[in-house]
Amino acid sequence: QVRLVESGGGWVQPGGSLGLACVASGNTDKINAMGWYRQVAGKQRELVAVLTSGGKTIYGTPVAGRFTISGDNAKNTVSLQMNSLKPDDAAAYYCTADYPDGLVLTAYWGQGTRVIVSS
């Protein structure tokens, strides 16, 4: 019942910056966290950054200090500012929202947006 739409992916040179945005719609009232994961073909999806409804942030080790997550509660959006991009940052980036449904915590996912980092 939650729809997530990402935007902002594209191509950048190493050392460049890129901003991603995700908009949540539908039954957004009970979302307790939103964030970003990324995935490279053949590998597991990994944590990039998470922002809780209480304003706490969590960053994956490879991006800590370079990426910043922020949100606009009124607009049900979450953004990811990516600086000092490296070739290893190239991946499909997925927006996620955690929604408690009774005792079950459901993770909703966007369709993904691709980030390419190369010269």
Side-chain angles (χ1 to χ4, degrees):
Q1 293 182 322
V2 175
R3 175 176 167 82
L4 303 172
V5 179
E6 305 103 328
S7 63
W11 175 87
V12 293
Q13 297 184 17
S17 298
L18 195 65
L20 305 181
C22 175
V23 179
S25 61
N27 293 340
T28 63
D29 57 304
K30 294 182 179 179
I31 293 175
N32 57 25
M34 294 183 67
W36 296 89
Y37 283 69
R38 66 187 185 186
Q39 187 170 29
V40 178
K43 295 187 177 182
Q44 295 293 119
R45 192 169 297 184
E46 68 176 7
L47 169 71
V48 176
V50 171
L51 175 66
T52 72
S53 60
K56 297 181 179 180
T57 59
I58 302 172
Y59 291 95
T61 299
V63 309
R66 298 186 296 118
F67 293 7
T68 302
I69 189 170
S70 61
D72 186 336
N73 292 330
K75 297 182 179 180
N76 294 315
T77 63
V78 64
S79 300
L80 183 70
Q81 180 62 44
M82 310 163 68
N83 298 324
S84 301
L85 283 162
K86 304 175 180 179
D88 286 347
D89 295 319
Y93 283 72
Y94 296 88
C95 180
T96 186
D98 292 334
Y99 189 95
D101 185 7
L103 297 179
V104 178
L105 181 64
T106 300
Y108 291 89
W109 298 92
Q111 80 285 356
T113 185
R114 188 165 298 279
V115 173
I116 302 171
V117 185
S118 68
S119 299

